[in-house]
Amino acid sequence: MRLEQLIYLEKIIEKGSINEAAKELFLTQPSLSNAVKDLESEMGIQILLRNARGVSLTPEGREFLAYSRQILDQVNLLEEKFKHTQPRKQAFSVSAQHYAFVVHAFVELIRSVDSKEYDFTLRETETENIFSDLASFRSELGVLYLNSFNRQVMTKLFNEKNLVFTPLFDAKPHVFVSRDNPLTKKKKLKLEDLEEYPYLSYEQGENNSFYFSEEILSTWDRKMNIKVSDRATIFNLMVGLNGYTISSGIISSELNDDKIVAIPLDHEDTMTLGWLKQKQRELSPAARLYLDMLKNHIQQYGFKIYE
């Protein structure tokens, strides 16, 4: 395996086409295609799927590229230090349940990038998709919560999928409602206070397991239930229908959450929010920086970060 082959592969994925990559690399299309075929033969896997529209990665190819990028990152660090070359294009992706602090740290990360070239992805998604994104190396990090109800099942899944969970902070459950909701007159809410209001929760696709729910007390019977797929919609329904949801208590006014307030819920449960990664994967510099920003942002809300 040669370093050039890894560089060629990354350029092909960036362009989505062997032909376009060959033009940028000043190579002929056959020579570039043969370089990838030689790499596939040496590794004993199929890395690319080739079709009339271009190329895409196989599942094994996606995993291979994740490791390849780690090698290229290290080579680039050496060249930056000793050859004073330009930093390579940064790549980072995170898949998470729907939390404002995840988005806020992502915004800060992009603002901190001293380059006009980067390839970052944020997926606010269903819980099951976080697992599949990490397993397929589509995302480097995942963010979700554990509590007394889902911890045993989730921990079993982490082990099965070769994932490592690192806790960030503990949070008591809060009820999110519109500023105009009559519930805001109370400093603390009980479950019975919520009975006459629509309950808003995030849908979990085909896997409707209560253990995958993003909200605690998912098994509690409610008269009015509305499922949504994104945070913008859930906030709109809080305002338009006086609906509510239950989450960590962190609301970011900088991300247009100023119409929503968080009221403590009188319940014994505690949410432990944390991040996931593949056990064998080393974090990229961008991922480490993102985690630092995530922790700093959470601390600004008065939460104690796990050491």
Side-chain angles (χ1 to χ4, degrees), residues 228-239:
V228 302
S229 60
D230 62 86
R231 281 192 310 115
T233 300
I234 211 169
F235 288 163
N236 287 338
L237 294 180
M238 285 179 201
V239 174

Side-chain angles (χ1 to χ4, degrees), residues 2-205:
R2 303 189 311 278
L3 185 62
E4 289 83 0
Q5 290 172 305
L6 304 184
I7 295 171
Y8 294 166
L9 176 62
E10 186 173 51
K11 181 60 68 175
I12 290 170
I13 298 307
E14 177 188 330
K15 294 299 180 181
S17 162
I18 292 177
N19 187 42
E20 292 302 315
K23 291 178 183 177
E24 191 152 325
L25 292 166
F26 302 102
L27 297 171
T28 64
Q29 183 173 343
S31 63
L32 181 56
S33 182
N34 287 334
V36 175
K37 288 179 181 178
D38 289 343
L39 181 62
E40 290 176 318
S41 177
E42 183 179 353
M43 294 293 105
I45 61 172
Q46 182 179 0
I47 297 174
L48 295 179
L49 292 172
R50 300 160 176 84
N51 54 56
R53 296 187 300 274
V55 296
S56 60
L57 288 167
T58 64
E60 284 183 313
R62 193 179 299 279
E63 183 174 0
F64 181 86
L65 184 64
Y67 284 105
S68 171
R69 281 175 169 165
Q70 292 180 42
I71 295 171
L72 293 175
D73 283 339
Q74 294 302 313
V75 171
N76 187 245
L77 287 173
L78 285 172
E79 291 181 339
E80 282 182 58
K81 183 173 180 63
F82 296 106
K83 293 177 64 176
H84 306 291
T85 60
Q86 291 295 317
R88 69 189 294 267
K89 185 176 181 180
Q90 293 190 64
F92 170 69
S93 57
V94 56
S95 295
Q97 293 175 330
H98 300 75
Y99 299 119
F101 60 86
V102 170
V103 181
H104 194 285
F106 191 81
V107 171
E108 289 185 346
L109 175 67
I110 293 177
R111 287 174 176 170
S112 74
V113 175
D114 187 23
S115 172
K116 293 183 179 180
E117 293 189 16
Y118 53 80
D119 187 5
F120 289 167
T121 304
L122 169 61
R123 300 183 181 91
E124 282 193 317
T125 187
E126 300 161 8
T127 302
E128 189 173 30
N129 289 342
I130 297 175
F131 297 138
S132 61
D133 286 348
L134 290 171
S136 65
F137 288 80
R138 291 185 70 217
S139 285
E140 190 170 352
L141 297 179
V143 181
L144 46 68
Y145 85 94
L146 300 179
N147 71 336
S148 58
F149 176 71
N150 72 4
R151 188 180 302 273
Q152 185 174 357
V153 171
M154 287 295 192
T155 301
K156 183 174 182 291
L157 285 170
F158 298 162
N159 291 332
E160 289 175 355
K161 297 178 182 295
N162 207 28
L163 302 175
V164 178
F165 178 82
T166 302
L168 283 167
F169 69 104
D170 291 334
K172 300 299 290 184
H174 284 66
V175 179
F176 283 15
V177 295
S178 162
R179 287 189 178 278
D180 298 326
N181 192 303
L183 292 172
T184 57
K185 297 176 182 178
K186 298 190 176 186
K187 293 184 178 180
K188 183 174 285 191
L189 296 173
K190 297 182 178 180
L191 290 176
E192 51 264 34
D193 295 326
L194 307 174
E195 291 181 351
E196 300 305 317
Y197 295 87
Y199 171 61
L200 310 173
S201 62
Y202 290 107
E203 62 180 356
Q204 294 300 325

